[in-house]
Amino acid sequence: MSDAPITYASAGVDVEAGDKAVELMKASVRRATRPEVVGGLGGFAGMFDASAIARMTRPILATSTDGVGTKVAIAQALDVHDTIGFDLVGMVVDDIVVCGAEPLFMTDYIATGKVVPERIAAIVGGIARACEEAGVALVGGETAEHPGLLEPDEYDVAGAATGVVEYAAVLGPQRVADGDVVVALASSGLHSNGYSLVRRVVASTGWALDRHVEDFGRTLGEELLEPTRIYTKPLLEIIADDGVDVHALSHVTGGGLAANLARVLPTGTFARVDRATWTPPAVFRTVQDLGRVPQADIERTLNQGIGFVAVLPEAHADRAIELSEARGIRAWRLGEVATEERAQADGLVAPDAEVVRGAKGVDGGAVQVVGQHPTA
């Protein structure tokens, strides 16, 4: 046994590095704020003035937590860490918008094998810029050094956010009606789901991340690291517009388009969406072709170019599309909603296509994806 004293630093935890990381991230975090934030960075808890909530008729708090998944492995391999925060924020705050709530504040958690202040500051800087884009305050966070559990260059990120909505304005299945249409909002790329499949496909090909891919117009790594689109402000604008009565929203994440749409439809309804209305971006086609991934599997795993869907009255679809595209997000009519009885009577149900019913424990509606994508 050695007589040398054992210190926290010799055990692999560098407290001074953690303090330096906090100093480096302060400027970024200051920009990700709102007037309701009380106090500053470094407290034991983030504080938020809820006076405005108290003046609401029946305020409903909405909360969400998530991570980025194995997309962090791409960031680590490329040594690019200032974009992964957009993936984290998008996965968290846009789940809150689904029910019509405005996300108010967020906290983050980073676990790493070794605190490298500049790397931590880059990660948090991305989180802060994404919060600023979403109009969400970053009120606190935690960085934990886990030597022996994670390798020095490894890290994982997670976050949680809270929002609020008037009870009378809550979106969801209770609003969806026969004759509604489904509007798609384009994704920015793969977003943050399905990277276990994507990484397995890439590994099987032997392609390097710095390989230039003509169809992408950039390297493979740059395409795979494309940040998740944040829909918070555009969707809140659409919800608030007098010419649009949004009935339901769905964030197309794990499980794919059909399953996530089914979660926000009431039982007894059927949505038919048509592949002929859009062409998935090249990255989806490339992953599927290289890995010979079956169509059903690729659609259950990746968003296929659709990051969000809105369900609303047919007469309001054009206005919703106009508002989305004014924000730089391509949108289009994807399909329609009917009662299951009418869907059968009108021949909307295709006999040779899978019908997805509910998902993730939700006894929701039925969704069928039909047709073929146009060629690029």
Side-chain angles (χ1 to χ4, degrees), residues 90 94-100 171-173 176 181-186 191 231 235 239 246-265 303 306-312 334 359-360 362 367:
D94 283 341
D95 275 2
I96 289 175
V97 177
V98 166
C99 66
L171 306 181
V176 176
V181 299
V182 181
V183 169
L185 281 69
H191 284 183
Y231 297 88
L235 286 173
I239 292 168
V246 177
H247 289 168
L249 294 170
S250 182
H251 194 186
V252 183
T253 56
L257 172 62
N260 282 291
L261 176 55
R263 293 168 67 186
V264 300
L265 298 179
N303 68 61
I306 298 175
F308 242 93
V309 291
V311 182
L312 66 172
L334 180 67
K360 297 192 177 181
V362 176
V367 176

Side-chain angles (χ1 to χ4, degrees), residues 91-129:
M91 288 297 100
V92 174
V93 302
D94 283 341
D95 275 2
I96 289 175
V97 177
V98 166
C99 66
E102 177 188 2
L104 300 174
F105 56 84
M106 180 169 176
T107 57
D108 65 72
Y109 176 81
I110 304 170
T112 183
K114 178 179 175 59
V115 170
V116 178
E118 293 77 12
R119 183 169 63 209
I120 298 300
I123 297 168
V124 175
I127 295 171
R129 287 195 304 277

Side-chain angles (χ1 to χ4, degrees), residues 8-9 12-24 114-118 145:
Y8 209 11
V13 177
D14 188 342
V15 176
E16 291 183 1
D19 290 341
K20 182 180 178 182
V22 172
E23 287 300 318
L24 291 175
K114 178 179 175 59
V115 170
V116 178
E118 293 77 12
E145 199 165 27

Side-chain angles (χ1 to χ4, degrees), residues 21 87 105 120 131 164 209 212 215 263 305 311 315 317 321 333 337 340 370:
D87 299 290
F105 56 84
I120 298 300
C131 283
V164 66
L209 292 177
H212 182 83
D215 285 346
R263 293 168 67 186
V311 182
I321 292 169
R333 295 191 187 208
V337 177
E340 289 209 63
V370 302

Side-chain angles (χ1 to χ4, degrees), residues 3 59 75-76 103 108 114 169 183 207 274 331:
D3 291 332
Q76 291 160 20
D108 65 72
K114 178 179 175 59
V183 169
W207 284 20
D274 193 351

Side-chain angles (χ1 to χ4, degrees), residues 138-157:
L138 183 60
V139 297
E142 175 69 12
T143 300
E145 199 165 27
H146 292 166
L149 183 63
L150 294 169
E151 293 299 321
D153 290 335
E154 290 181 339
Y155 62 83
D156 197 12
V157 294

Side-chain angles (χ1 to χ4, degrees), residues 34 89 93-94 103 129-136 230 232-233 236:
R34 291 171 55 120
V89 173
V93 302
D94 283 341
R129 287 195 304 277
C131 283
E132 186 178 10
E133 181 177 314
V136 176
I230 296 176
T232 300
K233 283 188 174 180
L236 290 175

